[in-house]
Amino acid sequence: MRNLSRRAFLAAGTAFAGLLALPAWADMTYHSPNLEAAVQAGDLPPVAERLPENPLVITPRDQPGTQGGTWNHALVGGGSLSMLVRYQGYEPTVRFTPDWSGVTPNVAESFEVNEDSTEYTFTLRKGMKWSDGEPYTTEDVKFWYEDVFQNPELTIGDQAFWYSADGSVAELDVVDDQTFKVKFAQPNGFFAQQLAWAQQDQITRTPKHYLKQFHIKYNPDANALAKERGYESWVALFQRECGVQQDNDFFQNSNRPTLNAWKFTIAPGEDTERAVAVRNPYYWKVDTEGTQLPYFDEINYQMVGDPEVLLLKTLQGEIDMMDQYIATPANKPVLYDAQESGDFHFYTLKETAANVMVFQLNLNHTDPVKNALYNNRDFRVALSHAIDRQSMIEAVFVGQGAPAQPSIVEGDPLYVERLAKQYTEYDPEKANAILDEILPNKDSEGFRLDSEGRRVTIIFEIDQVRTTFLDMFQLAIPNFRDVGIDAQIRTMDRSLWETRVRHGREFDATAHQFGANSGVAAMLDPRYFVPFNTNALYAQGWALHFNQPDNDAAIEPPEEVKAQQALYKKLLATGDQDKQHEIMLEILNNAADQFLVFGVSLPPDGYGVVKNDMVNTMPVMPNSFGWPTPGPSAPEQFFKN
């Protein structure tokens, strides 16, 4: 991400998504031929009546397209559906620009920020509609704010902290049907960027007219309705229907209206072989020639069991665009050789993750002995010295990379060398010396014993589709065992991993990646430097304490971690770029002191494959979930020649 001033960041991007108004919509707007029969039969209004007064004008990246056709895609396994955010679920109030240099209006027609970042004013598009034709107005915003966000019975997860400043929740001021203000008692310098971050803008995902039937405030019989559908109470049914807390719930619902370009007719989970999303006839964007977007009539997702099946389908030319799960260094030669037969080519992913893989011991373990051991910083240092990072880099990443902890990329103004390089030396002798002080006793096989006389066994629970993780663990497991730690790996389907790791406390350890390695992105996603949301897999209880300290499941962190969390709140409260930089550097230096997790290497640039007939895709993109690749590149303007 480029390093821009706050005002430049907020203003950037108007060249990518037009604020210009096109005249005479009724005379120059075109829709897909497959909607014509419904219009002629009177089942669907003419396209000019389906669009808002001021549609968002998208300038096609290469050329205006033609409507129709199918985008052939795939979903791996039956677990997390967060991949769908990347392809058809990124429609926040304001969105990141394609080059990640700023945020620009999206669902909102415009927005303004006052000088001290305490008041944000948003203007919605007059006449904008949900996919079922019902109006999208500030009533939907108010519904989310009052009946979801502020309802104590509903779980709101991490949303509270970016709608707060200095511990005080923002006030919503609805001015009229199109205009609302979000007012903070103290500055909130990152609010617009937080709304643009993937999955963090719920006000565009909660249609009041649909969801109120499940809410006890609007339907006195909501509990009875929930019991009819097999739920204990209206709360459980509402959260399932609303879906804003879980990717799976959000996308496994073909009934809920959406603002997205495509809407599921066969949602994931409703069919074992495929999921199908068709064009939203009320989608509120057009191209520069007046053609209603999206170009594709539908997206067809094949449901595949594992990455090997996905790789085979890609080699055979069955997948139009893909990078997740298959675009590994090991697969690159195979994919390169198959470009002609598979009729595809490569695109480049500029890696933004803080590390290729981060080892995360569960610092909130329910076992008190394991919890105490894992919270011993020296124990984590010893494990870090025990692993041969260079061998992993050579074997898994074809020599691309250098040993590094989760950190900021060198050359960025936030780079801290100590954070990046400490304890990265492969030194089993030093690891053993440290462990001898902590765990001096061993069993007959040479494995160390804990304070209860049990063998020190660490089971790393891993999402099975992360093939590069599995490859790295083939080397890491023997490294750990060489210093007397009985390390093991347990692979599982993503859905089980989500339950056991992201939402559990009984696992020993896991490994993951992402986070961010530069600039504003690192400030928005410092998961390895401060436990602030559910992505801090190593300390879910501490992260919950950051957002909901009164929650029964929250765990009060040690004083130094609480201080780090307070510092992060201070960072979020300022809109001054120089001050942001100063605070973030303090956070990063503290993270080096605390050393909560350890990694392998900063990632080399990645790649993906795209079919040769796909038009308007970006040849180079950031690779991130916050900038949900390729979401901000506007998939609604992709088409096939």
Side-chain angles (χ1 to χ4, degrees):
M1 180 186 290
R2 288 212 313 260
N3 196 15
L4 301 181
S5 71
R6 173 182 162 275
R7 289 196 172 277
F9 186 90
L10 294 176
T14 54
F16 302 105
L19 296 178
L20 60 158
L22 295 181
W25 287 110
D27 295 331
M28 64 179 300
T29 306
Y30 310 98
H31 65 188
S32 175
N34 75 352
L35 299 178
E36 187 60 33
V39 173
Q40 293 300 321
D43 297 330
L44 193 66
V47 63
E49 296 177 20
R50 303 197 304 267
L51 289 166
E53 288 186 5
N54 185 21
L56 179 59
V57 182
I58 298 295
T59 302
R61 176 157 298 278
D62 298 316
Q63 65 187 73
T66 54
Q67 293 182 325
T70 298
W71 183 359
N72 295 308
H73 225 299
L75 293 171
V76 178
S80 172
L81 301 177
S82 60
M83 285 297 298
L84 294 169
V85 179
R86 297 173 178 266
Y87 296 101
Q88 69 177 78
Y90 183 62
E91 295 293 0
T93 303
V94 296
R95 69 191 287 154
F96 288 122
T97 56
D99 64 352
W100 210 353
S101 63
V103 295
T104 187
N106 189 51
V107 168
E109 183 177 304
S110 62
F111 73 103
E112 297 177 357
V113 188
N114 69 353
E115 189 63 35
D116 65 355
S117 304
T118 57
E119 183 173 299
Y120 292 73
T121 303
F122 300 91
T123 301
L124 303 179
R125 300 176 189 279
K126 189 174 183 179
M128 187 170 174
K129 299 175 178 64
W130 294 96
S131 57
D132 61 358
E134 292 294 318
Y136 172 71
T137 69
T138 52
E139 274 296 304
D140 298 292
V141 177
K142 184 179 179 182
F143 173 75
W144 175 81
Y145 180 83
E146 293 184 352
D147 300 321
V148 182
F149 176 58
Q150 293 196 314
N151 188 303
E153 294 188 80
L154 297 174
T155 302
I156 59 172
D158 301 324
Q159 301 163 37
F161 96 82
W162 68 83
Y163 267 89
S164 303
D166 196 27
S168 179
V169 175
E171 172 190 347
L172 176 69
D173 178 12
V174 174
V175 178
D176 55 38
D177 283 351
Q178 273 72 53
T179 308
F180 67 96
K181 298 175 184 288
V182 180
K183 299 178 178 179
F184 296 93
Q186 299 294 327
N188 187 335
F190 290 92
F191 184 60
Q193 293 94 321
Q194 293 283 8
L195 290 181
W197 197 266
Q199 293 291 74
Q200 291 192 175
D201 190 358
Q202 314 301 2
I203 64 177
T204 66
R205 305 172 70 182
T206 47
K208 177 181 178 179
H209 71 280
Y210 173 77
L211 292 172
K212 67 181 182 181
Q213 65 183 304
F214 309 110
H215 200 296
I216 198 71
K217 174 180 173 181
Y218 299 94
N219 179 8
D221 298 322
N223 277 316
L225 177 62
K227 286 182 170 57
E228 286 176 12
R229 300 195 182 185
Y231 294 88
E232 291 185 1
S233 71
W234 76 269
V235 172
L237 176 58
F238 182 87
Q239 296 205 137
R240 172 66 176 85
E241 290 291 334
C242 185
V244 296
Q245 295 310 311
Q246 298 287 340
D247 294 334
N248 286 15
D249 286 351
F250 187 77
F251 290 110
Q252 287 180 319
N253 188 334
S254 56
N255 296 316
R256 187 195 314 103
T258 182
L259 297 178
N260 297 339
W262 298 273
K263 182 183 186 301
F264 279 109
T265 54
I266 303 176
E270 295 178 353
D271 186 294
T272 58
E273 296 184 356
R274 65 175 185 150
V276 178
V278 301
R279 67 167 56 252
N280 171 4
Y282 292 92
Y283 194 58
W284 37 278
K285 299 181 187 179
V286 298
D287 69 10
T288 48
E289 295 189 348
T291 301
Q292 185 189 28
L293 298 172
Y295 290 136
F296 280 123
D297 281 336
E298 69 176 37
I299 308 178
N300 187 357
Y301 296 95
Q302 298 183 64
M303 310 300 289
V304 302
D306 57 59
E308 292 302 315
V309 176
L310 178 60
L311 176 61
L312 179 61
K313 288 182 176 294
T314 304
L315 293 171
Q316 294 172 340
E318 297 180 36
I319 308 299
D320 289 326
M321 186 177 190
M322 181 60 68
D323 50 71
Q324 291 286 307
Y325 305 123
I326 63 165
T328 64
N331 285 344
K332 194 168 187 178
V334 177
L335 287 163
Y336 184 86
D337 291 341
Q339 287 182 91
E340 185 174 351
S341 60
D343 193 29
F344 58 77
H345 61 275
F346 286 0
Y347 56 88
T348 298
L349 293 174
K350 304 298 292 184
E351 289 294 345
T352 63
N355 210 268
V356 295
M357 187 176 78
V358 182
F359 296 90
Q360 301 177 66
L361 301 179
N362 182 4
L363 305 183
N364 296 159
H365 206 298
T366 54
D367 182 314
V369 174
K370 289 186 175 185
N371 191 68
L373 180 61
Y374 298 167
N375 275 275
N376 185 327
R377 184 182 188 276
D378 288 342
F379 181 69
R380 300 193 297 272
V381 169
L383 295 187
S384 183
H385 278 306
I387 57 174
D388 186 350
R389 291 172 173 82
Q390 192 59 47
S391 292
M392 295 182 192
I393 293 166
E394 294 292 337
V396 182
F397 298 100
V398 202
Q400 297 181 65
Q405 304 291 7
S407 54
I408 305 300
V409 67
E410 191 168 0
D412 189 272
L414 294 173
Y415 177 70
V416 175
E417 184 175 10
R418 181 168 63 101
L419 176 67
K421 298 299 183 182
Q422 66 180 350
Y423 317 127
T424 56
E425 306 92 348
Y426 174 49
D427 193 338
E429 184 176 340
K430 181 179 291 186
N432 269 312
I434 297 171
L435 291 171
D436 285 344
E437 293 293 322
I438 304 170
L439 302 163
N441 298 322
K442 297 180 181 180
D443 63 17
S444 59
E445 296 181 60
F447 288 109
R448 297 180 185 276
L449 302 177
D450 66 18
S451 60
E452 295 292 315
R454 302 175 302 183
R455 177 181 289 188
V456 176
T457 298
I458 302 176
I459 301 174
F460 289 87
E461 301 194 13
I462 306 296
D463 171 7
Q464 65 189 9
V465 300
R466 301 288 177 185
T467 55
T468 57
F469 292 6
L470 304 182
D471 292 341
M472 281 184 275
F473 267 100
Q474 293 298 312
L475 297 169
I477 293 296
N479 288 163
F480 290 136
R481 290 179 174 173
D482 285 345
V483 296
I485 302 299
D486 179 22
Q488 301 176 23
I489 184 171
R490 178 184 294 159
T491 62
M492 61 194 66
D493 180 87
R494 178 61 181 254
S495 59
L496 179 58
W497 182 86
E498 289 281 341
T499 299
R500 284 202 41 84
V501 176
R502 191 181 299 280
H503 302 291
R505 302 282 174 84
E506 297 181 356
F507 70 99
D508 293 341
T510 190
H512 209 45
Q513 58 178 153
F514 307 121
N517 64 21
S518 60
V520 173
M523 298 182 196
L524 293 175
D525 189 4
R527 64 180 72 179
Y528 302 124
F529 315 132
V530 52
F532 78 103
N533 70 5
T534 56
N535 288 320
L537 303 172
Y538 57 93
Q540 292 290 311
W542 296 350
L544 187 58
H545 190 275
F546 176 80
N547 291 293
Q548 300 175 52
D550 296 330
N551 192 301
D552 290 341
I555 298 175
E556 184 174 357
E559 288 302 318
E560 65 271 17
V561 175
K562 280 201 295 186
Q564 185 81 322
Q565 291 176 331
L567 197 57
Y568 187 52
K569 288 181 179 179
K570 182 180 178 182
L571 170 69
L572 295 174
T574 181
D576 180 83
Q577 187 186 34
D578 291 338
K579 189 65 175 176
Q580 289 172 354
H581 184 270
E582 177 185 327
I583 297 171
M584 188 62 188
L585 278 174
E586 186 176 354
I587 288 173
L588 294 169
N589 277 287
N590 290 345
D593 293 338
Q594 294 168 13
F595 194 64
L596 299 174
V597 297
F598 56 99
V600 176
S601 169
L602 282 167
D605 285 347
Y607 70 97
V609 296
V610 59
K611 290 292 290 294
N612 292 327
D613 60 355
M614 287 278 281
V615 184
N616 290 337
T617 62
M618 289 177 65
V620 180
M621 288 183 285
N623 189 25
S624 172
F625 184 71
W627 188 100
T629 313
S633 71
E636 61 270 16
Q637 49 95 53
F638 295 172
F639 73 101
K640 292 180 182 178
N641 269 332

